[in-house]
Amino acid sequence: MKKIAFITGATSGFGKAAAHRFAKEGWSLVLSGRRIERLLNLKEELSVPVHIMQLDVRDADAVKQAVAALPDEFSAVTALLNNAGLALAPQGAAQVDLSDWHTMIDTNVTGLVNVTHALLPTLIKTGSGASIINVGSIAGQWPYPGSHVYGASKAFVKQFSYNLRCDLQGTGVRVTDLSPGIAETEFTLVRTKGDQSASDNLYQGTTPLSAEDIAEQMFYIASLPDHININRVEVMPTRQAWSPFAIDRD
């Protein structure tokens, strides 16, 4: 049976790496993102059937229409990789523009919900072996300064994944919250609105995760025997751990 992965945020980072990883195993791909040039280039790099769609996951109507218009050969989706997301405003909460909070909520929460809702009937029809892999973050579990709405949005991803599992009991559809730690992608460049030095400084002198590391986890989860569901995977590089509690002193 042909396997099809639907990947949001496929134009960079984890999504692009996942496209290459799943293609390596012969999966057909539905790739979505906002940057059509990158999607076209990615399609050229892959040797499997690929359907691309320029899509902003925040637009519920556009998501519904895109899913409804999937060509027959791409319609029986096996795995949904809810990867589209971003962090903004690493400053403290009192210094952040409200619009940045709204953008994170609209993308990380509303966008994920839009795509999941649109594809649920398809995934339920696929049944045993179908997977929903929601990309969360360690920020959804472990707070840190400057995480404010980003961390809260990823906590939503975790709890939504758990609750979705309850509602999908008996359908055969699996749900996983995949939560990476520090990973060297465009994440920090986006978060700092193009500050390359801030991105370079974050990863300098350590060994972060790579996009390929997370893509490997995605493929592993989606390829498990049908009777196995991994509820949550939290992945940190060996060189990352927790800090002591902060204490305000006189």
Side-chain angles (χ1 to χ4, degrees):
M1 180 178 175
K2 180 173 69 172
K3 293 186 175 182
I4 302 168
F6 188 116
I7 306 173
T8 67
T11 55
S12 65
F14 303 153
K16 182 177 180 180
H20 281 280
R21 182 66 184 91
F22 280 72
K24 182 179 178 181
E25 304 298 330
W27 287 53
S28 297
L29 301 171
V30 178
L31 306 178
S32 78
R34 290 182 296 165
R35 294 170 286 191
I36 188 63
E37 326 77 40
R38 290 195 178 195
L39 289 173
L40 290 168
N41 290 337
L42 179 56
K43 183 177 181 179
E44 289 298 313
E45 296 171 7
L46 302 171
S47 58
V48 296
V50 176
H51 176 70
I52 61 173
M53 52 176 71
Q54 186 177 23
L55 183 64
D56 186 339
V57 296
R58 298 174 294 181
D59 187 334
D61 289 337
V63 170
K64 289 180 184 178
Q65 292 170 15
V67 170
L70 281 173
D72 288 344
E73 62 268 32
F74 294 97
S75 62
V77 175
T78 314
L80 166 59
L81 278 59
N82 271 319
N83 169 71
L86 79 169
L88 295 172
Q91 304 84 6
Q95 286 77 49
V96 174
D97 288 338
L98 181 60
S99 62
D100 285 339
W101 279 5
H102 286 170
T103 298
M104 287 186 280
I105 293 168
D106 291 345
T107 307
N108 301 350
V109 176
T110 305
L112 180 143
V113 166
N114 288 342
V115 178
T116 303
H117 189 268
L119 278 168
L120 271 179
T122 298
L123 292 161
I124 291 171
K125 184 177 180 180
T126 299
S128 294
S131 302
I132 299 172
I133 301 172
N134 295 324
V135 178
S137 168
I138 61 169
Q141 178 76 15
W142 309 107
Y144 61 88
S147 184
H148 39 76
V149 165
Y150 175 68
S153 71
K154 293 303 185 177
F156 173 88
V157 173
K158 178 180 70 172
Q159 197 62 36
F160 179 65
S161 300
Y162 290 170
N163 292 341
L164 197 56
R165 271 219 68 205
C166 295
D167 290 341
L168 292 174
Q169 177 73 8
T171 66
V173 180
R174 307 177 290 192
V175 187
T176 301
D177 168 33
L178 174 57
S179 295
I182 184 174
E184 189 168 7
T185 65
E186 293 180 1
F187 177 87
T188 301
L189 202 60
V190 171
R191 190 173 204 179
T192 59
K193 299 183 178 179
D195 188 341
Q196 185 65 57
S197 64
S199 179
D200 293 342
N201 289 339
L202 179 64
Y203 307 118
Q204 185 177 10
T206 190
T207 311
L209 300 171
S210 68
E212 289 73 23
D213 293 332
I214 300 305
E216 191 65 39
Q217 296 298 316
M218 292 174 171
F219 183 75
Y220 171 73
I221 292 165
S223 302
L224 286 167
D226 295 354
H227 68 286
I228 299 175
N229 188 108
I230 294 182
N231 298 326
R232 185 168 186 269
V233 178
E234 185 176 285
V235 187
M236 285 185 182
T238 305
R239 298 182 73 179
Q240 181 182 25
W242 306 272
S243 295
F245 283 109
I247 301 173
D248 181 34
R249 302 183 188 277
D250 293 331

